[in-house]
Amino acid sequence: MTNLWQDLVTNALLGTERKAFALAQTGGALGELLNRLEGADQALLLLQGAAIVALHQQAGRVPIDVEIPALSFCEADEVPACSERAAQHLALMLSGEYRDALVEWLKALAEAGKRVNAMLLPSLLNYAAANKIFRPLILPVIGRRGVWLALQNPEWSFVTSATLAAEIWQTGNAEDRLGALKQLRQDNPALALEWLSASWPQEAPPDRARFIEALQINVSMADEEFLENALDDKRKEVRRAAAEMLARLPPSRLCQRMLERASRLIEHKSGLRSRFDITLPEACDKAMARDGIDAASPFSQANDKLGQRGWWLAQILGAVPLEVWRKRWKISTAEMLKLSDKNEWQSALMLAWFNAAQRFRDEAMAEALLKIIVGKETPLFSPLPLVGLLPLPRREQVIGDLLKALGNKEQGKGAVMALIGYAIHQWSAGFTRLVLEHARQRIKADDRGWFYALRTWSYFMSPTLALEEVMKWKPQLEEYETKYAGEHIEAPLRFRCEMLEELRRGT
Amino acid sequence: MPIAWTAEQIIALAPDPSSAKAGSALANRSKWLALGCSARALWGACQGSGKNPYQTQIDLSEPAFQCSCPSRKFPCKHGLGLFLLFVAQEAAFTKQEPPTWVGEWLVKRDARAEQRVKKEESEERNVDPNAHLKRAEQRARKVEQGIVELQQWLRDLVRQGLAAAQTKPYQFWEAQAARLVDAQAAGLARMLRQMAGLAASGEGWQHRLLERLSRLQLLLEGYQRLDSLPFETQADIRQLIGWNPVQEELLAQDGVRDTWLVLGQRVYEEEKLRAQRSWLYGCESRRSALLLQFAFGRDNFDITVLAGLGLEAELVFFPSAYPLRALLKQRGEINKAFDAEFSAASVLEIYEARAAALARNPWLELLPVTLSAVTPLRVNEQWLVQDAKGKSLRLSKQFDKGWELLALSGGRALQLFGEWNGEQLFPLSVWVEGKFFRLS
């Protein structure tokens, strides 16, 4: 900026009333032109001068030279980009429409061996930055271009953090370090344990419990020594977390201690009048507390069918793998539940088996428990964690059986509906047909809850089949329902059919 | 007419995002009955919430839309859906002669176009030259008065100082702008309104404001000695003050026939109107042209031009010392998504081009520029593009597709088209390995 212009601006800012204005002398063509101005009025002269100088500057402007660190460029992608139409589907979902289908689309894109085109990478990366659960899903489909791009924006560092895990572990904040630890735990559990052991004395007490919880990824006997030591930690949360990890390792010393305790408390009498004989624990001693037994029951007194000592019993039995009992007593899971059901300490036993089923991922017990508690008026625990223990095809089978058993009963309906919406995200044709047929009959009997549930399920059902089926019902629906079905059931189904068809095309 | 229409272009026609969404959802074969197409048109019937299906048709020569649905949006979601479906699954459309309802519409459209030409001719004949002259004189007097008043206002402003002006409310500017509207000098009013926000525009505001004020002063000076200036400069000054050339007169002139490539488009709000700038480039004439259109609310713009396509057309330029703005006199076929070679410049060259343009029209604000090979970069939270010689250009702060631009480039140079105001570039489109992408 020239002095000439600066003088003009300063003078204009103050006003010619306050500061008298005179054109500064300058040489060259510009000076010549300015000299030709003749205004009696100072304000006018200033404006005229400014017009000339401003234009002179504008026309004489030259580009800026900025020292810029050389930017690496991205190697070409061998994976083909998705079609323009598929990209349109993605853009629609990122804009908020049919967003619940995004997970399915990303998986289908990866399966089709294609990637997201460059134009949509920023929106997708932003979305995944804000919604962590999408991060693992986008990594297979952003291609080299996406990885390259993410390197340029710190907000997208999650893409490349896999390789940088060690660095983040050394320097990151608690949240990022936890992420790095979990990541490494997936690929190299032993190294992750080594990291944690090395930094353990320096770790802030509030973070310790969360770091221990991260060890549940690929937990093994290699972790036992470390965890056993953590049982003596000053903080209760840390001890509890360590005990929980150890309880998942049947050969661990903690499990052995628990088994010893449990063996003193429960006895199986076989024969005609087979039963469980229970001896409740007398007290929650120091050794028990060290092993993570919680002295105080979480259940409110009014609602406590267990009692305090029943609560201790449930915790101890729940830390023993169910397989131990089945072998020792030579009975089936069904038999165990039958004996538990008629026992005086029924609630404590059920809770114990529920905990053990989760801890040791015992499919047989999970399935058997599901069948018992769905249909109970006030179940002691939720069926949802149990269904998660079953492998996918089995889940459909079990929930399908529950649905059939439900018939037109009201009791247990809520639990079955919750299971349907929770357990499986891509339904098989058979399961879709089963649920829809049940829903159709319920709706016919004026149970509208099933109609509105289809809104959520429309993102899970096998789309082509479901669409055909729903179209058949249309004539029987009320007018407002037709509109609702069109917008919230049909539309997402159509969208899913179309996006999947587009991704399948040309592969 | 083998044009590669793209879904992206069609989405760009949507009057708002919700129409775009609804249209995308309707681009589904199962939603449509009796899909058909001819060389010129597309049609189909869509079952909506009404009793009878809606009849939707598209004249591809523009493209123009027509639908029997009651929606007041234009094009409606059915039109967009039908077009998108055509792009995705042309095979779903039966090639045949248009049915009666489509045929009749096309005939009507042709007849209307002919009528428009005739009407313009006949109106021209019907003008009473005396009355016309009288009105023009009246207006000239009004404008004259408005300018005398504005000159006094400007002088007072500088006398009292811009610092004092900074403390004045928006109304201070608006009142003077309104007086200029009354004086039938809408162009001057617009310039004042643009200045109203500058005082509060942050660091450097006094430079920006004085620059604008001095440019306005230059315009007033120019008007006072209008007769001594070349015809083209007179035309520039008259247009800036608010005399729009009579469209009919312009359209009666011979225009420039060419294959015009639509290089880029930008839609923005101006005084409660939606405005659209479409920048064209003539393959033979090697000229740039600007089509400016206005629409109320969600109305569609009068003529549809799509970025990324070439258009056989005749354009008539507004008289100017640096002619850019033009009217579409006649349009012919839309041809090919373009890959034609056209002149593109380096960063240094566009600075030179701007200096040359300012020498001819000192009030010129935006220059359309095509940079041949620039790499997008982000430095201190700001986007730049840099050419092979290391010369850089700042991108506009309003440009919000910086990351998309970087993603498309992959760190390599690309060809870029945008609007250049002498300080900042607003990118509108890019070419990557010969493929066109719109950024706006």
Side-chain angles (χ1 to χ4, degrees), chain A residues 1 5-6 8-9 12-18 41 43-44 46-48 50-51 54-55 58-59 61-66 68-69 71-76 84-85 88 92 95-98 118-119 121-123 145 148-149 152-153 156 490 494-495 498 501 505, chain B residues 6-8 11 21 24-25 27-28 30-31 88-89 151 154-155 158-163 205-207 210-211 213-215 217-218 221 347-348 351 354-355 358 362 376-377 379 384 386 390-392 394 403-404 406-412 422-423 437-439:
Chain A
M1 201 175 312
W5 174 251
Q6 189 58 57
L8 283 161
V9 172
L13 203 56
L14 290 169
T16 52
E17 260 175 9
R18 233 162 298 168
D41 185 303
L44 200 58
L46 190 154
L47 280 168
Q48 290 168 335
L55 266 175
Q58 272 217 21
R61 214 173 263 163
V62 289
I64 42 172
D65 279 306
V66 187
I68 296 166
L71 183 69
S72 69
F73 55 79
C74 176
E75 294 298 328
E84 207 187 323
R85 183 117 188 85
Q88 210 68 49
L92 201 63
S95 77
E97 198 89 334
Y98 307 125
M119 187 73 123
L121 285 172
S123 310
R145 183 67 58 96
W148 174 87
L149 189 66
Q152 323 295 326
N153 187 342
W156 299 332
E490 256 183 82
R494 272 186 208 291
F495 179 78
E498 195 191 301
E501 191 190 309
R505 191 184 302 189
Chain B
T6 65
E8 206 188 6
I11 293 289
K21 272 184 204 172
S24 300
N28 187 309
S30 56
K31 286 270 181 187
Q89 297 181 46
Q151 182 65 78
L154 268 180
R155 249 189 264 175
V158 175
R159 200 171 289 142
Q160 287 158 21
L162 302 186
W205 67 273
Q206 63 272 47
H207 294 275
L210 182 62
E211 202 187 319
L213 288 169
S214 73
R215 199 182 310 171
Q217 178 64 37
L218 188 67
E221 304 267 343
V347 169
L348 197 61
Y351 272 89
R354 185 171 167 84
L358 281 178
L377 295 162
V379 179
L384 302 169
Q386 189 175 47
K391 299 289 181 197
S392 317
R394 271 197 198 92
W403 289 107
E404 278 78 5
L406 188 67
L408 286 169
S409 83
R412 293 173 194 272
E423 282 184 53
F437 294 90
R438 51 183 298 153
L439 291 169

Side-chain angles (χ1 to χ4, degrees), chain A residues 1-61:
Chain A
M1 201 175 312
T2 61
N3 288 334
L4 206 54
W5 174 251
Q6 189 58 57
D7 289 348
L8 283 161
V9 172
T10 311
N11 214 144
L13 203 56
L14 290 169
T16 52
E17 260 175 9
R18 233 162 298 168
K19 185 174 188 289
F21 175 71
L23 264 174
Q25 290 298 313
T26 185
L30 179 64
E32 212 171 287
L33 200 55
L34 288 173
N35 281 336
R36 274 160 55 187
L37 292 178
E38 41 184 46
D41 185 303
Q42 286 192 2
L44 200 58
L45 193 64
L46 190 154
L47 280 168
Q48 290 168 335
I52 294 171
V53 176
L55 266 175
H56 180 257
Q57 290 206 134
Q58 272 217 21
R61 214 173 263 163

Side-chain angles (χ1 to χ4, degrees), chain B residues 2-295:
Chain B
I3 307 171
W5 298 99
T6 65
E8 206 188 6
Q9 286 164 341
I10 295 161
I11 293 289
L13 291 173
D16 53 44
S18 77
S19 301
K21 272 184 204 172
S24 300
L26 280 176
N28 187 309
R29 188 174 177 168
S30 56
K31 286 270 181 187
W32 294 87
L33 298 166
L35 290 168
C37 68
S38 69
R40 179 172 166 192
L42 303 178
W43 57 89
C46 183
Q47 184 62 58
S49 46
K51 210 177 217 174
N52 298 317
Y54 299 126
Q55 291 186 315
T56 312
Q57 47 194 327
I58 301 171
D59 179 350
L60 289 173
S61 66
E62 189 150 333
F65 298 81
Q66 166 86 13
C67 183
S68 64
C69 79
S71 167
R72 291 171 61 189
K73 293 184 186 179
F74 198 84
C76 67
K77 59 182 178 180
H78 307 104
L80 293 168
L82 183 69
F83 208 168
L84 285 168
L85 182 60
F86 181 68
V87 170
Q89 297 181 46
E90 202 179 326
F93 290 73
T94 317
K95 290 203 173 52
Q96 63 190 120
E97 279 302 301
T100 330
W101 59 282
V102 179
E104 280 171 1
W105 177 61
L106 293 176
V107 169
K108 245 189 261 170
R109 277 183 56 77
D110 290 341
R112 223 178 301 149
E114 266 174 46
Q115 249 174 15
R116 213 178 302 143
V117 177
K118 278 194 192 134
K119 191 173 149 221
E120 275 153 17
E121 284 169 3
S122 66
E123 265 180 13
E124 218 174 311
R125 277 196 297 273
N126 286 339
V127 171
D128 170 2
N130 281 332
H132 187 73
L133 207 64
K134 209 170 158 193
R135 271 204 306 277
E137 277 171 9
Q138 270 171 1
R139 179 170 180 196
R141 268 199 301 279
K142 270 186 147 178
V143 171
E144 197 86 45
Q145 269 171 0
I147 283 180
V148 169
E149 211 183 295
L150 176 62
Q151 182 65 78
Q152 189 54 45
W153 186 85
L154 268 180
R155 249 189 264 175
D156 289 346
L157 190 72
V158 175
R159 200 171 289 142
Q160 287 158 21
L162 302 186
Q166 197 192 18
T167 63
K168 299 254 163 74
Y170 181 76
Q171 190 53 35
F172 168 73
W173 303 87
E174 180 53 36
Q176 180 57 33
R179 282 198 287 278
L180 287 165
V181 171
D182 291 342
Q184 292 189 295
L188 294 177
R190 193 177 65 96
M191 287 173 93
L192 268 194
R193 284 184 177 131
Q194 284 173 351
M195 278 182 230
L198 284 182
S201 67
E203 210 195 314
W205 67 273
Q206 63 272 47
H207 294 275
R208 287 189 286 274
L209 184 56
L210 182 62
E211 202 187 319
R212 289 280 178 153
L213 288 169
S214 73
R215 199 182 310 171
L216 181 57
Q217 178 64 37
L218 188 67
L219 188 63
L220 301 187
E221 304 267 343
Y223 185 68
Q224 273 155 27
R225 56 195 80 164
L226 197 62
D227 295 339
S228 67
L229 296 169
F231 169 74
E232 286 81 7
T233 304
Q234 288 185 25
D236 281 326
I237 291 173
R238 288 175 61 85
Q239 280 166 45
L240 279 165
I241 286 175
W243 275 283
N244 285 322
V246 183
Q247 297 221 352
E248 289 73 25
E249 282 175 22
L250 277 181
L251 288 174
Q253 294 170 17
D254 281 337
V256 184
R257 279 174 204 276
D258 205 338
T259 301
W260 295 93
L261 308 177
V262 187
L263 296 186
Q265 274 176 326
R266 187 169 175 194
V267 176
Y268 58 99
E269 299 273 329
E270 190 177 292
E271 303 193 348
K272 291 174 193 151
L273 286 175
R274 223 154 48 93
Q276 181 199 52
R277 286 195 285 266
S278 303
W279 295 101
L280 276 55
Y281 179 84
C283 291
E284 295 290 321
S285 61
R286 307 202 156 249
R287 294 179 68 161
S288 293
L290 166 65
L291 291 183
L292 195 55
Q293 300 196 74
F294 297 93

